[in-house]
């Protein structure tokens, strides 16, 4: 073949030979796997910083904001009033005083987790009853402040921990960790179902979410209680709380997956991990959290799980319905959104390739 012929064949022809415009290059890039991979690079970097920042903001420097405390009014010598005022001053006016006529009424309020401490003043000085089970850091802060005030005022102070933490959980973090495990494994399980069992129809997906939640909750409780012996759990109740938490977390991801497709991890991670876990009150009790987090945390699944578990372990017989209502509300809303808009969910047999469906 002659050289002119080679040049003719090498030369570009028509529209295929024209260089791509900027818009065409952008469209091709968006359709390539490089676009979501690039977006993920930036999302993961931001998530890493926000993750560290959210926990540091909530836990690095716990500061008292509002600590409910009971004061027994009878007997109440003048020295007792001065002691309470001095305590409030030392704690930067964060004491929220609840006055009770008798010690029995004050103790009942503590059992209902309405107060974190009980102060009594008598002829022999002041007694302070704290409850490490309500928050080890809060109990420590109150005890140290009482000793300091007693030394400054010359008032004898007797501190007693009437709700101590279990021996295997001296810092009170075990319940936070088991709740954290239930939250994370809950939505990771839903992610794995979407990846490895994509063909599940909505009802099957809900059923398998219930299945791994029940089994996973049992495994968490069994390891912590039976194997490690770290915490003596009321086994069935703790198991059901963990399973309920895992199911709710899994369905939250399924809801966002229905609404947002492949980007569902962003709001799930934001609600459950970045916001929910630091504000749950598990690692730092809510009176020491920034005030906004202290209020928000109780309305999110991680906080509800920690509260329910905490009461089940340390305040048996005084369980409150509110944490279960929070978990139930998130679960019902998530299941409803998932079911109503199930046609938008990326999984299901209707979304399978035709040749795969006929092959079965």
């Amino acid at each position: 073949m002659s050289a002119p012929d080679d040049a003719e064949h090498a030369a570009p022809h028509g529209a295929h030979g024209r260089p791509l415009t900027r818009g065409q290059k952008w469209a091709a890039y968006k359709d390539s796997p490089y676009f979501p991979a690039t977006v993920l690079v930036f999302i993961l970097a931001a998530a890493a910083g926000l993750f560290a920042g959210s926990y540091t903001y909530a836990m690095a420097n716990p500061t008292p904001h509002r600590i409910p405390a009971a004061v027994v009014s009878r007997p109440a010598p003048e020295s007792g009033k001065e002691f309470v005022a001095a305590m409030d001053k030392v704690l930067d006016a964060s004491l929220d005083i609840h006055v009770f006529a008798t010690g029995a009424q004050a103790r009942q309020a503590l059992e209902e987790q309405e107060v974190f401490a009980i102060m009594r003043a008598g002829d022999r000085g002041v007694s302070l009853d704290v409850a490490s089970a309500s928050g080890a850091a809060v109990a420590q802060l109150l005890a140290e402040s009482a000793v300091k005030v007693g030394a400054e005022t010359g008032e004898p102070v007797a501190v007693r921990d009437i709700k101590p933490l279990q021996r295997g959980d001296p810092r009170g973090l075990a319940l936070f960790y088991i709740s954290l495990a239930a939250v994370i494994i809950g939505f990771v399980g839903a992610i794995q179902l979407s990846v490895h069992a994509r063909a599940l129809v909505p009802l099957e997906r809900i059923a398998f979410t219930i299945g791994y939640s029940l089994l996973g909750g049992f495994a968490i409780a069994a390891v912590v209680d039976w194997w490690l012996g770290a915490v003596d759990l009321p086994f069935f109740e703790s198991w059901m709380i963990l399973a309920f938490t895992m199911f709710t977390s899994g369905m939250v991801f399924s809801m966002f997956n229905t609404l947002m497709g492949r980007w569902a991890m962003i709001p799930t991670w934001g609600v459950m991990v970045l916001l929910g876990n630091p504000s749950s009150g598990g690692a730092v009790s809510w009176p020491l959290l920034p005030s906004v987090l202290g209020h928000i945390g109780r309305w999110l699944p991680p906080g509800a799980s920690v509260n329910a578990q905490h009461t089940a372990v340390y305040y048996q017989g005084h369980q409150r319905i509110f944490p279960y209502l929070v978990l139930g509300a998130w679960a019902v809303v998530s299941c409803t959104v998932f079911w109503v808009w199930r046609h938008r969910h990326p999984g299901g047999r209707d979304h399978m390739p035709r040749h795969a469906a006929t092959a079965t």
Side-chain angles (χ1 to χ4, degrees):
M1 184 177 293
S2 63
D5 290 338
D6 291 339
E8 182 180 349
H9 284 287
H13 289 276
H16 296 288
R18 290 198 297 267
L20 295 176
T21 65
R22 185 174 300 177
Q24 290 172 327
K25 290 180 180 179
W26 173 245
Y29 177 68
K30 285 182 65 178
D31 291 336
S32 75
Y34 302 114
F35 176 70
T38 303
V39 173
L40 279 174
V41 167
F42 288 101
I43 289 175
L44 292 172
L50 290 172
F51 182 74
S54 64
Y55 276 76
T56 303
Y57 174 68
M59 302 175 190
N61 185 28
T63 304
H65 295 279
R66 188 179 72 86
I67 305 177
V71 172
V72 180
S73 61
R74 296 199 302 260
E78 193 64 31
S79 59
K81 298 178 182 179
E82 294 175 357
F83 180 86
V84 172
M87 278 282 290
D88 193 39
K89 182 178 180 181
V90 167
L91 294 169
D92 295 326
S94 63
L95 282 181
D96 181 16
I97 301 299
H98 299 251
V99 179
F100 296 91
T102 65
Q105 292 175 348
R107 179 59 186 260
Q108 180 65 23
L110 187 138
E111 293 288 345
E112 296 289 342
Q113 301 180 70
E114 296 174 359
V115 298
F116 282 72
I118 302 172
M119 288 182 281
R120 299 182 186 85
D123 296 333
R124 298 182 179 181
V126 175
S127 66
L128 175 68
D129 293 342
V130 297
S132 293
S134 293
V138 176
Q140 181 180 355
L141 177 65
L142 289 170
E144 292 175 351
S145 299
V147 171
K148 179 180 178 180
V149 170
E152 292 176 351
T153 61
E155 188 77 19
V157 178
V159 179
R160 182 176 57 157
D161 191 348
I162 60 176
K163 275 285 182 180
L165 292 162
Q166 295 186 20
R167 183 176 300 178
D169 185 26
R171 300 304 301 169
L173 295 176
L175 300 185
F176 170 67
Y177 290 139
I178 67 175
S179 299
L180 177 63
V183 167
I184 292 180
I185 299 301
F187 67 73
V188 167
I191 294 171
Q192 294 305 304
L193 284 181
S194 295
V195 173
H196 299 290
R198 188 180 182 87
L200 291 175
V201 298
L203 200 57
E204 294 169 342
R205 190 175 297 273
I206 293 174
F208 276 94
T209 304
I210 293 173
Y212 76 66
S213 297
L214 287 171
L215 192 58
F218 180 87
I220 294 172
V223 167
V224 171
D225 189 345
W226 297 347
W227 183 13
L228 299 177
V231 182
D232 182 16
L233 299 173
F235 194 86
F236 182 78
E237 186 176 3
S238 290
W239 172 21
M240 290 298 102
I241 293 170
L242 290 167
F244 198 2
T245 303
M246 289 185 71
F247 175 75
T248 301
S249 183
M251 291 312 303
V252 165
F253 173 81
S254 296
M255 172 182 67
F256 286 128
N257 199 22
T258 300
L259 298 175
M260 302 183 64
R262 63 186 179 185
W263 304 112
M265 187 59 187
I266 298 174
T268 304
W269 184 262
V271 170
M272 306 301 286
V273 178
L274 293 183
L275 185 59
N277 283 323
S279 65
S280 66
V284 175
S285 191
W286 65 263
L288 302 184
L289 289 172
S291 56
V292 174
L293 287 182
H295 287 92
I296 291 176
R298 305 175 206 187
W299 294 90
L300 299 177
S305 180
V306 168
N307 289 340
Q309 198 71 253
H310 180 261
T311 304
V313 174
Y314 289 111
Y315 294 90
Q316 296 179 23
H318 298 275
Q319 186 61 272
R320 295 168 293 181
I321 194 173
F322 179 73
Y324 296 96
L325 292 177
V326 171
L327 286 172
W330 278 91
V332 168
V333 170
S334 298
C335 288
T336 301
V337 171
F338 172 58
W339 184 261
V340 171
W341 283 281
R342 59 190 180 276
H343 59 281
R344 296 183 53 181
H345 194 275
R349 285 188 276 279
D350 290 341
H351 298 278
M352 293 175 62
R354 185 176 299 277
H355 64 82
T358 55
T360 59

